[in-house]
Amino acid sequence: GACYHEYGDQASHNPAKTFHVDHITQMERVLSIVRTNTERMIRLVDNLFQLTTEKSSEMCEEVPVDEMFAEILEELSAQLNAKHLSVSLSSLSGIKLTGNRTMLYRAMSNLVENAAKYNRENGSIFISASQQQEDVIIKIADTGIGIPKEECERIFEPFYRVDQSRSRSIGGAGLGLALVKDIVEKHRGTIQVHSRAGQGSEFILYL
């Protein structure tokens, strides 16, 4: 009996066994990341497919801005809470966009998600809307890492990354802002960005 228990203790502290368990844990973590990125790519491909197949007859929906952002913030609540981010909404009530509800939701959600991803801990996100003649102007600003001035024009290119190492660690395929721009232009609108490295970013949409 004594020999058995002694052998059992040795086995439980066997370095090879410990390494094997750690190795499995690490592999599970890697597979989880791969699965997440694969699912994200599938969604992006689906988004691209939808962008090319949407019919013009589906571009005339009325989309209340306040309701749309309320849904987006609910969907992204876990990410916002994880970084303890505060969100300020200004002048959204009563303003409506005209277009494809799904596409507009996707564009705005992507911008808010980026504002959360690249924000600092305990940072802020500011969302506002205003009506100027025929245009609805939507602004989404954050207190995040910002974008170097010389790179602001390139961020809407597919697969372009400002900070390769940071973006890779955060995840994503680099198609988000390209999709946003496509959606905005499909609604005959424009999008601008004002940003500096370390000073946050502000995206302004004219729709």
Side-chain angles (χ1 to χ4, degrees), residues 63-196:
V63 184
V65 172
D66 55 348
E67 293 179 12
M68 177 176 61
F69 278 107
E71 290 179 31
I72 289 170
L73 294 176
E74 177 64 28
E75 180 185 338
L76 299 176
S77 59
Q79 289 175 251
L80 297 169
N81 293 335
K83 281 191 174 179
H84 306 98
L85 301 175
S86 65
V87 181
S88 299
L89 304 174
S90 177
S91 307
L92 302 186
S93 182
I95 294 181
K96 296 180 180 179
L97 293 170
T98 301
N100 183 282
R101 183 185 302 271
T102 302
M103 293 167 68
L104 289 169
Y105 183 97
R106 186 176 293 116
M108 302 303 168
S109 178
N110 189 286
L111 291 173
V112 176
E113 185 175 16
N114 279 353
K117 274 184 182 179
Y118 297 101
N119 218 320
R120 56 180 172 79
E121 194 82 16
N122 299 307
S124 301
I125 298 173
F126 307 93
I127 301 170
S128 65
S130 60
Q131 186 93 41
Q132 284 190 9
Q133 298 176 345
E134 298 297 314
D135 285 336
V136 171
I137 301 173
I138 294 176
K139 297 181 180 180
I140 301 173
D142 63 65
T143 56
I145 61 176
I147 304 161
K149 193 173 182 180
E150 65 274 11
E151 300 195 51
C152 283
E153 287 301 314
R154 299 197 63 193
I155 60 171
F156 297 105
E157 297 175 9
F159 304 109
Y160 185 75
R161 299 292 191 86
V162 174
D163 183 339
Q164 294 287 345
S165 59
R166 181 74 186 268
S167 297
R168 195 177 295 114
S169 67
I170 290 173
L175 281 172
L177 289 176
L179 283 171
V180 170
K181 186 180 181 185
D182 279 348
I183 290 170
V184 169
E185 290 179 348
K186 196 152 190 171
H187 287 79
R188 298 180 181 178
T190 58
I191 182 169
Q192 300 175 358
V193 59
H194 301 305
S195 183
R196 286 187 179 180

